[in-house]
Amino acid sequence: MTKERYIGALPKIGIRPTIDGRRRGVRESLEETTMNMANNVAKFLSENLKYYNGESVECVIADTCIGGVAEAAQAAEKFKKEGVGVSLTVTPCWCYGSETMDMDPHLPKAVWGFNGTERPGAVYLAASLAGYNQKGIPAFGIYGHDVQDAGDPTIPRDVQKKLLRFAKAGLAAAMLKGKSYLAMGSVSMGIAGSIVKDDFFQEYLGMRNEYIDMSEFVRRMDLEIYDKEEYEKALQWADENLTIGEDINKEEFKRTDEEKRSDWERSIKMTLIARDLMIGSDKLKEMGFEEEANGHNALIAGFQGQRQWTDYFPNGDFMETFLNSSFDWNGKRAPYILATENDSLNGVTMAMGNLLTNTAQVFADVRTYWSPDAVKRVTGKELTGKAANGIIHLLNSGSAALDGTGRQQIDGKPVMKPFWDITDEEVKETLENVQFRPASTEYFRGGGYSSDFTTKGDMPVTIARINYVKGLGPVLQIAEGHTVELENDMHDTLDLRTDPTWPTTWFVPNLTGEGAFTDVYSVMNNWGANHCALSYGHIGDDLITLASILRIPVNMHNVEASRIFRPSAWNMLGTDQPEAADYQACKNFGPLYK
């Protein structure tokens, strides 16, 4: 594996300093101020944003200020050569709108027009946005709330927030472009999300679709097409560091010790094989498997598993758990994105959350809404605190990223961090709070191991999900909220009513008292599918910005209006009902890559 996991250079942010083109005094007086503005923005973004691998985001600045179409074309040419994936125009002054615009329709773009009275940067902002809207190239407008003095090098706080929100979303879109979704198998148990919609990937995300049959896992295990040295290392690490929990299967359904050991070993081999299928392996080339060594350049993958695989072979829980986590036997590293049951739509949602935060994502069923009355009836106890209005049980077959235990900390509070900030002690504590339980053979006749843990409470989190509607296309739903912890006996009573060998997250959404967020029941009742992706932090605003870049409308969210940031054109389609305007804008402009 190379330092850069995927084929293609990491996308850069292109900074375009635009300027009043009038020579013999006007332009000359603005050159230094305009280029300084570009340099300051580049420095700010590079210092505050990182790629998935921990490297600082790189910015590319146009060689000259852009005063007309020739310099705009020169900047565009440089950006192509440098691998720019996001375009940001900055100016402290008036410039010639359509002559200085970035005309690439596929580059996410924004314009920061300096709010100063000495020179009309804000006037250029308005003029250029009008041009973008008229030409059908959506662009974000960034305008500071307070007037600054000419030449002020500081970036106001409100401008910083918009710069970061746009840049994170733009880079996420650029990272998806050109990568693959790898379907390992086909449709799992009739789940609609695992009916892979290739037009969605191609037109909305700029991705290609790759497919393999699950029999490829059998071939590679039987012929030992995997790194055998790494397998031995992984097996020893797993034996020394992972806790195997109680087998709760009925005696007649328990697998023998020999079968369980085989399941354990096969689960590790499956993990290595899935990773090789996604990104390839130089080791396989050394072994003479040149074709297999290439992989599929898959930023996202999905494993069908149930039932054609799991009726006979170990389930994919161990494989999915460790690939989605921020560490394994090789140490800490960026998570891979692998969707359970080949739910491609949830896989894309996981990738969106991961690319915006650089943290692991938790794949879960949106399993059960527990009302306060139902909890009291079943447990004899009342829900309190954040859980007082009811809880949603997020649970799935043991494939949630181990980061979801919440055993990482900042200032003593549970969090999920980018891998480069995770300590060895946090990895150790995470593993100490996870059991790998022999799989429930009523579900998984072929055995396997499922991760069992309970998420720490009081973590701000966001659940999200892309759904697909015939005639409309993709829609995104978002719910910001918190994890909560229940008293042990209450947790056990509720958890035992389903499969206790799977990881549990108790989730409560932030309520607004309106629409889908009238109460907790309404959130559950309006959720569009059986799965969700959970990300650390309240990132609904970032998801909304990314969705607008990709032209995916948002059908439900609980993000405050002041945090929502979409392209200027959305306001032209209505400011009183932003949800309706969002739908109309996405329909009007269509998929980003169509």
Side-chain angles (χ1 to χ4, degrees):
M1 292 183 294
T2 60
K3 188 175 183 182
E4 291 184 10
R5 180 179 290 174
Y6 309 105
I7 298 168
L10 294 170
K12 302 171 185 175
I13 300 174
I15 311 293
R16 307 175 70 256
T18 55
I19 198 167
D20 190 324
R22 284 171 284 203
R23 295 284 185 174
R24 301 183 184 178
V26 176
R27 174 166 178 158
E28 289 82 355
S29 69
L30 296 166
E31 289 277 7
E32 183 177 355
T33 299
T34 304
M35 191 57 78
N36 284 344
M37 189 176 179
N39 286 317
N40 289 339
V41 169
K43 181 174 184 290
F44 169 74
L45 293 174
S46 293
E47 288 177 348
N48 287 276
L49 294 175
K50 293 183 183 294
Y51 297 112
Y52 74 92
N53 63 2
E55 294 180 5
S56 295
V57 165
E58 188 173 345
C59 295
V60 176
I61 303 174
D63 290 334
T64 67
C65 291
I66 300 169
V69 66
E71 289 163 322
Q74 290 167 0
E77 186 65 20
K78 178 178 183 179
F79 286 0
K80 287 179 183 177
K81 293 178 180 178
E82 293 281 350
V84 164
V86 181
S87 171
L88 174 62
T89 298
V90 300
T91 187
C93 60
W94 166 252
C95 319
Y96 304 153
S98 62
E99 296 181 24
T100 59
M101 287 168 53
D102 175 358
M103 294 293 290
D104 188 332
H106 295 149
L107 280 185
K109 57 184 85 295
V111 181
W112 174 25
F114 186 83
N115 185 0
T117 56
E118 290 85 351
R119 294 284 182 175
V123 178
Y124 170 72
L125 173 62
S128 64
L129 291 176
Y132 281 121
N133 294 344
Q134 186 169 320
K135 294 176 182 295
I137 307 175
F140 292 80
I142 301 174
Y143 179 51
H145 185 273
D146 297 317
V147 172
Q148 294 179 258
D149 296 331
D152 183 351
T154 61
I155 304 175
R157 185 70 175 168
D158 62 321
V159 172
Q160 290 182 14
K161 289 181 179 179
K162 289 184 177 180
L163 287 171
L164 290 175
R165 187 155 297 142
F166 162 73
K168 283 192 291 185
L171 287 169
M175 272 298 298
L176 291 169
K177 185 180 180 182
K179 310 302 190 303
S180 303
Y181 177 88
L182 174 61
M184 301 172 178
S186 184
V187 180
S188 173
M189 301 183 297
I191 293 172
S194 58
I195 302 173
V196 180
K197 307 283 288 184
D198 57 344
D199 285 349
F200 163 61
F201 281 90
Q202 178 181 327
E203 295 178 1
Y204 284 88
L205 309 176
M207 298 180 70
R208 69 169 68 225
N209 294 93
E210 295 283 291
Y211 309 86
I212 61 121
D213 190 89
M214 289 183 293
S215 61
E216 179 66 3
F217 281 82
V218 181
R219 184 180 80 93
R220 294 197 184 201
M221 283 192 283
D222 288 351
L223 300 182
E224 297 187 320
I225 306 175
Y226 53 84
D227 187 337
K228 290 185 281 294
E229 291 181 6
E230 184 180 358
Y231 165 69
E232 294 297 337
K233 175 183 178 181
L235 179 61
Q236 180 179 351
W237 181 89
D239 287 341
E240 293 174 354
N241 292 277
L242 306 185
T243 301
I244 296 180
E246 178 186 2
D247 185 348
I248 63 170
N249 288 295
K250 298 174 183 177
E251 285 300 324
E252 62 267 29
F253 294 125
K254 285 185 178 180
R255 292 170 68 77
T256 66
D257 290 343
E258 290 77 13
E259 288 173 324
K260 289 178 184 176
R261 184 61 185 178
S262 175
D263 294 345
W264 190 245
E265 294 170 353
R266 277 183 165 177
S267 294
I268 295 172
K269 292 175 184 177
M270 288 168 62
T271 308
L272 299 178
I273 291 168
R275 187 195 65 199
D276 292 346
L277 284 163
M278 290 180 71
I279 66 167
S281 167
D282 291 339
K283 184 67 174 181
L284 299 187
K285 186 176 182 180
E286 295 173 12
M287 295 165 59
F289 297 101
E290 291 87 350
E291 183 180 0
E292 291 86 346
N294 288 328
H296 292 266
N297 197 33
L299 191 145
I300 318 169
F303 182 70
Q304 175 192 334
Q306 299 185 75
R307 293 203 13 231
Q308 286 79 0
W309 180 269
T310 57
D311 277 5
Y312 190 65
F313 291 103
N315 64 20
D317 288 3
F318 184 101
M319 168 184 68
E320 294 161 5
T321 292
F322 272 102
L323 288 178
N324 282 317
S325 298
S326 296
F327 61 86
D328 57 21
W329 40 86
N330 291 319
K332 290 163 283 190
R333 44 88 179 136
Y336 299 84
I337 304 298
L338 179 56
T340 301
E341 294 156 349
N342 196 28
D343 185 348
S344 61
L345 296 177
N346 214 52
V348 171
T349 314
M350 293 170 70
M352 292 169 69
N354 170 256
L355 292 172
L356 289 169
T357 66
N358 290 321
T359 60
Q361 305 293 293
V362 174
F363 185 111
D365 268 4
V366 185
R367 174 73 54 140
T368 309
Y369 161 68
W370 280 99
S371 69
D373 288 343
V375 171
K376 188 172 183 179
R377 177 181 63 81
V378 170
T379 69
K381 294 188 174 183
E382 294 188 356
L383 293 170
T384 60
K386 286 188 173 71
N389 295 314
I391 52 178
I392 294 176
H393 195 180
L394 303 181
L395 179 88
N396 200 44
S397 58
S399 60
L402 297 181
D403 305 59
T405 59
R407 298 289 166 169
Q408 302 161 23
Q409 291 190 352
I410 295 177
D411 297 329
K413 296 180 179 179
V415 300
M416 295 167 64
K417 299 190 286 192
F419 77 89
W420 55 82
D421 286 333
I422 299 172
T423 68
D424 292 340
E425 184 58 36
E426 288 168 340
V427 172
K428 182 173 181 291
E429 186 173 352
T430 295
L431 293 176
E432 289 174 350
N433 284 277
V434 179
Q435 294 184 30
F436 287 84
R437 307 279 289 273
S440 171
T441 51
E442 292 182 37
Y443 285 102
F444 306 115
R445 299 172 188 173
Y449 284 85
S450 298
S451 60
D452 177 21
F453 63 81
T454 303
T455 301
K456 292 281 286 182
D458 206 30
M459 281 204 299
V461 295
T462 302
I463 64 170
R465 163 80 189 185
I466 290 177
N467 299 293
Y468 201 94
V469 180
K470 186 175 179 61
L472 172 64
V475 293
L476 176 66
Q477 52 189 169
I478 300 165
E480 295 183 339
H482 292 81
T483 62
V484 295
E485 289 184 61
L486 306 181
E487 296 178 28
N488 289 338
D489 55 347
M490 183 186 290
H491 166 85
D492 290 342
T493 299
L494 302 182
D495 201 42
L496 287 169
R497 291 175 69 98
T498 181
D499 194 313
T501 68
W502 298 343
T504 278
T505 302
W506 299 109
F507 171 74
V508 294
N510 296 339
L511 302 177
T512 65
E514 298 178 354
F517 294 91
T518 299
D519 49 33
V520 180
Y521 171 81
S522 297
V523 175
M524 178 76 179
N525 198 40
N526 282 281
W527 205 252
N530 53 312
H531 293 151
C532 76
L534 179 146
S535 186
Y536 175 76
H538 289 160
I539 66 163
D541 44 10
D542 292 328
L543 286 167
I544 289 172
T545 297
L546 175 55
S548 69
I549 290 174
L550 301 173
R551 320 283 201 264
I552 299 174
V554 180
N555 75 299
M556 63 176 273
H557 70 82
N558 56 349
V559 179
E560 301 93 326
S562 62
R563 295 167 54 205
I564 295 176
F565 189 37
R566 289 183 171 119
S568 167
W570 269 239
N571 296 330
M572 299 300 104
L573 297 168
T575 57
D576 185 52
Q577 296 181 324
E579 183 175 294
D582 181 33
Y583 271 79
Q584 182 60 39
C586 292
K587 179 182 179 181
N588 185 61
F589 294 111
L592 181 58
Y593 301 105
K594 189 170 182 179

